[in-house]
Amino acid sequence: MTGEAATLRVRRILVVEDDYLLAQVLTDFLEQADFHVVGPVGSLEEALALVENEPGSFDGAILDINLHGSNSYPVADALVARSIPFLFATGYGRDALEGRYRDHPRCEKPFDQATLLSVFGALFNNRAA
């Protein structure tokens, strides 16, 4: 296990992804890296309900931006309001993101595992600072 993965050990991550196969691959990878996965959830409504009703059930989140034609910015807003770190997992480039989230951490699809762990490591380290 890399140093970054060890730092992130036993973190609970909410996975918000509407593509079933991608959600399963992401879940498998995260579990192999010693994360506990909450979800995955594939709809805006379900993700918002988890964030609003069970924010203590996870330490961070991965958000797909496009969820069956709706964007996940309301989920991102709810996470920001609760100081829960997250990253966007998206096929969109930086310029396609809404202005307030253009510089937010993201991993472009298809992403590699090392990049994902590195971005999460930076998110959790910044949160502890």
Side-chain angles (χ1 to χ4, degrees):
M1 176 177 299
T2 67
E4 292 227 56
T7 301
L8 299 174
R9 195 170 189 165
V10 192
R11 294 283 189 169
R12 299 163 300 167
I13 304 298
L14 171 63
V15 173
V16 180
E17 172 61 61
D18 64 348
D19 180 298
Y20 176 79
L21 292 177
L22 186 54
Q24 284 309 118
V25 168
L26 186 55
T27 296
D28 290 346
F29 160 69
L30 290 170
E31 289 174 347
Q32 288 172 7
D34 290 328
F35 287 91
H36 173 76
V37 174
V38 177
V41 298
S43 73
L44 177 63
E45 296 77 15
E46 191 177 4
L48 276 173
L50 271 171
V51 173
E52 292 172 357
N53 300 321
E54 300 180 47
S57 66
F58 53 91
D59 304 304
I62 298 175
L63 304 180
D64 182 9
I65 291 179
N66 185 340
L67 299 171
H68 299 292
S70 298
N71 69 51
S72 65
Y73 296 128
V75 179
D77 294 340
L79 291 168
V80 168
R82 289 160 178 80
S83 299
I84 298 171
F86 68 94
L87 63 86
F88 290 114
T90 181
Y92 299 114
R94 178 183 175 276
D95 292 338
L97 274 70
E98 194 169 286
R100 69 184 187 268
Y101 288 114
R102 213 164 262 153
D103 292 323
H104 197 81
R106 65 185 166 72
C107 287
E108 289 187 27
K109 295 177 189 175
F111 48 80
D112 65 48
Q113 297 170 349
T115 300
L116 184 65
L117 288 177
S118 177
V119 172
F120 262 130
L123 280 173
F124 285 119
N125 287 337
N126 287 340
R127 185 178 189 198

